[in-house]
Amino acid sequence: MRANALDAHLFDENFVRQDWFYIIFYGGFRVVVPSSQLDQAIDIRDRFRNGAFDLPAEDCDIPQCPNCGERSGEPDPSPRRTLFLIYILFFMISGFLLASEYAIGFYVVLWMGVHTVMLIPPLFRYLIIGRYRCRTCQATWRETPDKPFCVQQREAERALMDSIP
């Protein structure tokens, strides 16, 4: 709205900073404008909701589907579900072994727990990062980043330093 020369402000900005759970109660941030600019603000809001300000898919980081070629990739939720199922099974097995009469059950649960804790970060990364699903054809795929994050971060810092006179 400010880009369209309206005097817009966030009304609840500081309230939410103090207790951010209230943003759910408030229904999000409220943008206020002077009453003389209300009609223009409503028009801008309606155009935003109708998609007039959407960027083309080529300008966004929306992955292209290898199956149909559409730029309609979104994060795939099924690996998260798989991970959740693995944790449920792990705790069911752990509970069963701890409830058993054999002392070996405790050592097996301890062994499984230590190895599970060691596997959590790479498991998260493998199952969740870079998994996409196409909205159009429902195809799923995995993309790996071109460069590691640390290399991308160094390049971004270098480019930022080069742009400062």
Side-chain angles (χ1 to χ4, degrees):
M1 292 197 180
R2 288 183 179 170
N4 288 294
L6 296 180
D7 188 25
H9 298 281
L10 290 176
F11 181 73
D12 301 337
E13 178 182 20
N14 293 322
F15 293 121
V16 174
R17 284 186 191 163
Q18 295 298 319
D19 194 353
W20 55 273
F21 281 117
Y22 283 145
I23 196 166
I24 298 167
F25 177 71
Y26 292 147
F29 289 105
R30 291 182 278 185
V31 178
V32 294
V33 295
S35 59
S36 61
Q37 298 175 342
L38 182 62
D39 293 332
Q40 293 171 309
I42 290 172
D43 180 51
I44 291 170
R45 182 203 61 194
D46 291 342
R47 287 189 302 163
F48 172 77
R49 287 184 176 167
N50 291 333
F53 299 116
D54 287 349
L55 292 173
E58 298 82 34
D59 293 343
C60 300
D61 284 339
I62 300 173
Q64 183 175 0
C65 176
N67 191 29
C68 67
E70 291 285 324
R71 285 201 173 270
S72 61
E74 64 184 7
D76 186 16
S78 59
R80 290 180 186 90
R81 294 180 188 136
T82 304
L83 187 62
F84 185 65
L85 180 64
I86 289 170
Y87 282 128
I88 288 174
L89 291 175
F90 171 74
F91 285 114
M92 285 175 56
I93 293 169
S94 300
F96 175 74
L97 289 174
L98 285 175
S100 69
E101 297 176 8
Y102 302 105
I104 192 79
F106 175 74
Y107 295 112
V108 170
V109 169
L110 183 65
W111 180 83
M112 286 172 46
V114 167
H115 285 84
T116 301
V117 167
M118 290 174 16
L119 292 175
I120 285 176
L123 187 63
F124 275 171
R125 182 163 183 78
Y126 178 76
L127 284 176
I128 295 174
I129 305 294
R131 302 282 181 151
Y132 296 101
R133 176 180 64 187
C134 180
R135 288 186 210 137
T136 308
C137 68
Q138 299 302 319
T140 58
W141 72 96
R142 185 177 197 311
E143 279 189 10
T144 56
D146 298 333
K147 301 173 190 171
F149 179 75
C150 60
V151 173
Q152 293 178 14
Q153 185 178 20
R154 272 188 250 124
E155 289 177 357
E157 288 173 355
R158 206 172 302 125
L160 182 63
M161 295 305 287
D162 292 343
S163 67
I164 296 175

